Amino acid sequence: MKFLRKSLALAGLMFFSVQPSVLASPTVSVPDFKNNADNIPWWSNRTGKQLSDVLSNELSNTGLNVVERGNVDAVLSEQELADLGIVSKTARNNNNAKTGKMRGAQFIILGGVSSYEEGVQQKAGTKSSSFMGASSGGGSVESSAYIAVDLRVVNSTTGEVVASRTVEGTAKSTSKKQASSFDGSALGNFVGGSSNSKQAKMFGGLMGSMKSESSEVEVNKVPKEKAIRAALISASDYVNCVLVVRGSCLAEFDAQERKRRSKTLGVLNFD
C-alpha cells in the first residue's frame, strides 16, 4: 500500500510538471507575404513585410508564441557582440545577450494575397419627387472589393503542410446623396392669379420670391488595409484553432470551408 501511494504521488508530480509544456502554445514564425496576384496596384516592396507584421500581431493576440524574424539581423548582431565580450551588462537586466538562445519556430505560417480587385460588384439607384415647386431626390452607389488570402501551416521539421486555408470575402463601400429644393414661383403665380385682390397679389409675389436648396453626401469607404486585416484576423483564428484549441472549432471552420468552396464553384457554369 505504501508503494502504491508513492507511485501515485510520483505520477501526480510528473503529470503536473509535464502539463505546462504539453499545453504550452506552439511557437510560430511568419515570413513575408507573397503577392500571388501580380496585378495589385498598391503592392510595394514593403507590403509583404507589413502583412507579415499584421498577422504576427493577430497571432500573438490569440495566445500563440511568435518568433521575430523580421529583425533577425539586429538580434544576431547583439549576440555576436556578447560573444566577443563587447556588450556590457546593463542596469536594466544585468545580463548579456547569449548565443544559441533564440527560440526556433515549430511551425511556419506561409501567406500570400492571391487576389484583390475593386469594383467587382456595383449597384446604383436614384429617386426623386416634386410638387408645387418643392422637390426632393437622392441616389446611392454601392461598390464591392474582393479579397482572397491563402494560408499554409508548415511543420518546420518535416516540411509537411499540416493545415491550409483560403480566406475570401468582399468589402462594401457606399455613397449616398440626398438633395431638396423649393421654388415658390409656381405657387406664387397660382396664388397671385387666383384673385384680383391686392392682398392676393402681394402674397403671390412673396411666395414667388421664396427659394431654397440643400444637399447632403455620405460616403462610407472601407480602406483596403482594414479589409485585409479582417481577412488576417480570420486567418489567425484558424491557425489558433488548428494548433491550440482544436475541438469544435475545427468543425466550424470545416463547415465554413465547404460553404466557401460551394459559393466559389457557383460562379462558374460547367459544361
Side-chain angles (χ1 to χ4, degrees), residues 8 25 33 37 58 67 72 79-80 90 110 137 139 149 153 155 158 162 169 175 188 207 234 240:
L8 290 174
S25 297
F33 267 57
E58 297 300 340
V67 176
V72 67
Q79 290 180 345
E80 289 166 356
T90 65
L110 301 177
V149 174
V153 182
N155 186 309
T158 65
V162 298
S175 175
M207 292 292 294
S234 176
N240 185 52

Side-chain angles (χ1 to χ4, degrees), residues 153-162:
V153 182
V154 181
N155 186 309
S156 63
T157 302
T158 65
E160 176 189 5
V161 177
V162 298

Side-chain angles (χ1 to χ4, degrees), residues 105 133 136 140 162 176 181 205 250 260:
S136 64
S140 63
V162 298
K176 297 180 180 180
S181 65
L250 288 175
R260 181 196 69 83

Side-chain angles (χ1 to χ4, degrees), residues 11-12 38 58 60-61 71-72 87 98 107 110 144 146 152 154 157 160 179 217 241 248 261-262:
D38 295 329
E58 297 300 340
S60 294
N61 290 338
N71 298 320
V72 67
V87 175
K98 296 182 174 64
F107 298 94
L110 301 177
S144 297
Y146 167 77
R152 285 175 292 163
V154 181
T157 302
E160 176 189 5
V217 177
C241 171
S248 61
R261 287 171 61 87
S262 176

Side-chain angles (χ1 to χ4, degrees), residues 16 19 21 29 39 63 81 83 88 91 94 96 100 103 108 117 120 125 147 169 184 212 241 244 268 271:
F16 285 108
Q19 195 74 347
S21 62
S29 68
N39 61 345
L81 291 174
D83 195 39
S88 62
N94 204 35
N96 290 333
R103 297 186 66 180
I108 302 172
E117 186 174 352
V120 293
I147 182 173
S212 67
C241 171
V244 180
L268 185 63
D271 295 334

Side-chain angles (χ1 to χ4, degrees), residues 6 177 192 230 236 248:
K6 285 185 178 179
K177 181 179 181 180
S236 66
S248 61

Side-chain angles (χ1 to χ4, degrees), residues 73-91:
D73 291 340
V75 175
L76 289 176
S77 297
E78 186 71 14
Q79 290 180 345
E80 289 166 356
L81 291 174
D83 195 39
L84 293 172
I86 297 175
V87 175
S88 62
K89 295 181 179 180
T90 65

